[in-house]
């Protein structure tokens, strides 16, 4: 895998501003030119769109645990998490970089609330091959 290492996390590979392999998750920007393979292995997907899109993204990617969309005009973010029955507005961000940081923090919070990493709420046949 190519990419620079993130000095803050020795095991992280920053593939670009739109894709990152972090110690506890893979995060991909839906607005990027990421391949289908990146989208399918992502734990976290984020991008721009209307609020209802968050749930649709989660439904379309069964291996994803968290999806978030940001309104392009006002920066409002809406998130959907696997196993949670409804979407939640999670605040406003300035740009896609801030959105990436927010979704990573939300993912870590979600794992902490669920008791740690693992495919909680993901059907066994939808897990990534490395799980």
């Amino acid at each position: 895998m190519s990419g620079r290492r993130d000095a803050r996390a020795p095991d992280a590979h920053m593939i670009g501003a739109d894709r990152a392999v972090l110690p506890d998750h893979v995060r991909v920007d839906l607005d990027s030119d990421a391949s289908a393979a990146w989208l399918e292995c992502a734990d976290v997907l984020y991008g721009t769109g209307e609020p209802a899109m968050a749930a649709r993204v989660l439904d379309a990617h069964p291996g994803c645990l968290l999806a978030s969309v940001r309104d392009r005009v006002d920066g409002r973010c809406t998130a959907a998490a696997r196993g949670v029955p409804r979407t939640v507005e999670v605040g406003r961000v300035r740009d896609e970089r801030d959105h990436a940081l927010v979704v990573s923090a939300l993912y870590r919070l979600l794992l902490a609330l669920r008791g740690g990493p693992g495919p909680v709420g993901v059907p066994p046949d939808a897990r990534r091959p490395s799980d």
Side-chain angles (χ1 to χ4, degrees):
M1 179 181 319
S2 64
R4 65 177 176 79
R5 287 190 175 271
D6 184 342
R8 295 166 293 168
D11 295 330
H13 292 276
M14 303 306 290
I15 309 305
D18 57 349
R19 290 168 291 219
V21 178
L22 300 157
D24 58 354
H25 66 283
V26 174
R27 181 186 71 211
V28 177
D29 185 346
L30 293 163
D31 299 327
S32 71
D33 62 354
S35 69
W38 276 109
L39 295 173
E40 292 309 312
C41 75
D43 299 299
V44 176
L45 291 167
Y46 69 102
T48 55
E50 39 90 22
M53 184 178 154
R56 290 194 307 266
V57 167
L58 202 61
D59 288 343
H61 298 89
C64 178
L65 291 180
L66 177 70
S68 178
V69 293
R70 175 178 60 90
D71 183 280
R72 195 177 301 275
V73 175
D74 67 6
R76 181 185 50 178
C77 295
T78 302
R82 186 129 348 254
V84 176
R86 62 187 181 103
T87 59
V88 177
E89 187 175 327
V90 293
R92 298 176 194 273
V93 296
R94 292 178 296 196
D95 55 25
E96 62 277 351
R97 183 170 181 248
D98 285 351
H99 194 189
L101 296 173
V102 166
V103 295
S104 285
L106 284 173
Y107 180 80
R108 290 179 180 120
L109 177 62
L110 182 63
L111 288 184
L113 291 173
R114 289 182 170 183
V120 177
V122 178
D125 57 330
R127 286 188 263 163
R128 293 175 294 151
S130 62
D131 283 344

